[in-house]
């Protein structure tokens, strides 16, 4: 219904000279939000206070060579939780990363595509396609015990575990200075998801041992989970 409404509204607005033929990012955007069949909200946004994508969803192409559908989550996180300038600065060839709970290797593969060397930590198997990048080393170990021999540029984590346990371990990585930035998932319980989210993010911040920049979002490709981007504040 919303789609059909949009298709009818666009030409009507253009006829009245209220909508350009092509999107112009410099101009305000009109948002029409249906909260029921007969109740809608109108809003306008400017360039710096809106998502650059319709419905806030980046249109990412699924790469058929990706070892898992989870790869889309990290891809989306890199686009949704980081600015283009941050991506330029923080994703560079030759960087080093750890991927905790890596199997079958989707997240490692996304990092390897950026030229980043990855230690893939998981007792499960990593796909041949991921290993074929030549940038992924599979280490069979427990992601809650393994620690890197030196400070890494990145740590990413998709381990299925209670969110508070993950949040504490992620904080330890920053407290110990094992990584410069991280993206991790917190798998939420069926009930009281917001309460659990608030609790885990507070726990993470408290135990990181330094002021942190934290951005968290339930991504389009996330299910009962949120994805967090974190790094120490400069
Ligand atoms: C959702 S899957 C990860 C998918 C992966 N991100 C990808 O893109 O292919 C979760 C993984 O976490 C791993 N895992 C769970 N607990 C772990 C632990 N304590 N140490 C290492 N890996 C663990 C599981 O073996 C599983 O492979």
């Amino acid at each position: 219904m919303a789609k059909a409404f949009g298709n009818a509204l666009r030409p009507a607005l253009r006829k009245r000279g209220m909508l350009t033929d092509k999107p112009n990012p410099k101009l305000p955007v009109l948002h029409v939000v249906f909260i029921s069949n007969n109740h809608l909200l109108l809003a306008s946004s400017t360039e710096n206070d809106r998502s650059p994508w319709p419905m806030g969803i980046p249109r990412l192409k699924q790469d058929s060579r990706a070892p898992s559908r989870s790869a889309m989550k990290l891809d989306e996180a890199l686009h949704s939780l980081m600015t283009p300038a941050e991506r330029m600065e923080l994703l560079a060839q030759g960087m080093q990363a750890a991927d905790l709970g890596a199997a079958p290797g989707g997240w490692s593969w996304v990092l390897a595509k950026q030229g980043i060397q990855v230690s893939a930590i998981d007792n499960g198997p990593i796909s041949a396609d991921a290993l074929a990048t030549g940038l992924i080393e599979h280490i069979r170990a427990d992601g809650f015990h393994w620690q890197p021999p030196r400070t890494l540029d990145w740590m990413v984590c998709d381990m299925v575990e209670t969110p508070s346990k993950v949040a504490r371990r992620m904080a330890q990585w920053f407290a110990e200075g094992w990584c410069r930035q991280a993206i991790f998932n917190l798998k939420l319980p069926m009930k009281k998801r917001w309460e659990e989210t608030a609790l885990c993010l507070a726990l993470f911040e408290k135990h990181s041992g330094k002021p942190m920049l934290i951005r968290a979002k339930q991504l389009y490709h996330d299910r009962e989970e949120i994805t967090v981007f974190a790094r120490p504040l400069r």
Side-chain angles (χ1 to χ4, degrees), residues 29-225:
V29 163
L30 172 69
H31 300 263
V32 183
V33 184
F34 279 87
I35 56 175
S36 71
N37 277 352
N38 56 6
H39 189 176
L40 59 82
L41 304 175
L42 297 179
S44 77
S45 64
T46 51
E47 192 182 5
N48 295 326
D49 69 356
R50 63 170 171 252
S51 163
W53 312 290
M55 309 287 284
I57 303 164
R59 302 287 156 189
L60 301 169
K61 265 205 207 135
Q62 186 166 5
D63 192 323
S64 58
R65 293 162 306 164
S68 65
R69 268 188 58 79
S70 285
M72 296 284 285
K73 284 186 209 173
L74 184 59
D75 219 3
E76 187 186 348
L78 296 176
H79 285 84
S80 297
L81 299 176
M82 294 169 69
T83 64
E86 286 170 335
R87 282 198 298 279
M88 286 284 286
E89 182 196 341
L90 303 177
L91 296 166
Q93 205 163 0
M95 285 184 165
Q96 295 186 318
D99 180 2
L100 310 180
W107 285 28
S108 297
W109 184 80
V110 169
L111 294 174
K113 273 204 307 182
Q114 306 281 341
I116 297 175
Q117 290 177 3
V118 189
S119 299
I121 315 301
D122 204 305
N123 279 315
I126 300 292
S127 85
D129 278 344
L131 295 174
T133 60
L135 289 168
I136 298 170
E137 183 195 7
H138 184 195
I139 300 174
R140 290 182 190 277
D142 185 332
F144 286 97
H145 291 118
W146 184 84
Q147 61 185 71
R150 68 191 78 81
T151 301
L152 302 177
D153 301 288
W154 279 97
M155 178 268 289
V156 297
C157 172
D158 193 21
M159 288 191 288
V160 181
E161 249 301 346
T162 51
S164 56
K165 184 172 174 186
V166 173
R168 275 179 189 275
R169 184 65 180 173
M170 300 297 99
Q172 190 181 7
W173 270 71
F174 285 101
E176 303 279 357
W178 292 338
C179 67
R180 298 194 176 89
Q181 47 264 329
I183 289 181
F184 56 90
N185 264 359
L186 296 174
K187 318 277 175 188
L188 298 173
M190 289 297 286
K191 288 183 182 165
K192 300 199 170 177
R193 289 190 179 152
W194 166 242
E195 286 86 341
E196 189 68 23
T197 297
L199 191 129
C200 289
L201 292 180
L203 203 66
F204 171 70
E205 194 166 22
K206 180 173 164 205
H207 292 281
S208 294
K210 53 196 82 154
M212 299 292 294
L213 169 79
I214 301 171
R215 296 181 194 139
K217 193 176 175 194
Q218 184 179 26
L219 303 174
Y220 177 65
H221 291 98
D222 278 342
R223 294 178 186 212
E224 283 77 39
E225 60 200 334

Side-chain angles (χ1 to χ4, degrees), residues 2-16 19-20:
K3 206 169 186 175
F5 187 89
N7 288 342
L9 181 63
R10 269 184 228 99
L13 290 175
R14 282 198 186 104
K15 209 169 156 189
R16 285 166 180 73
L19 186 65
T20 52

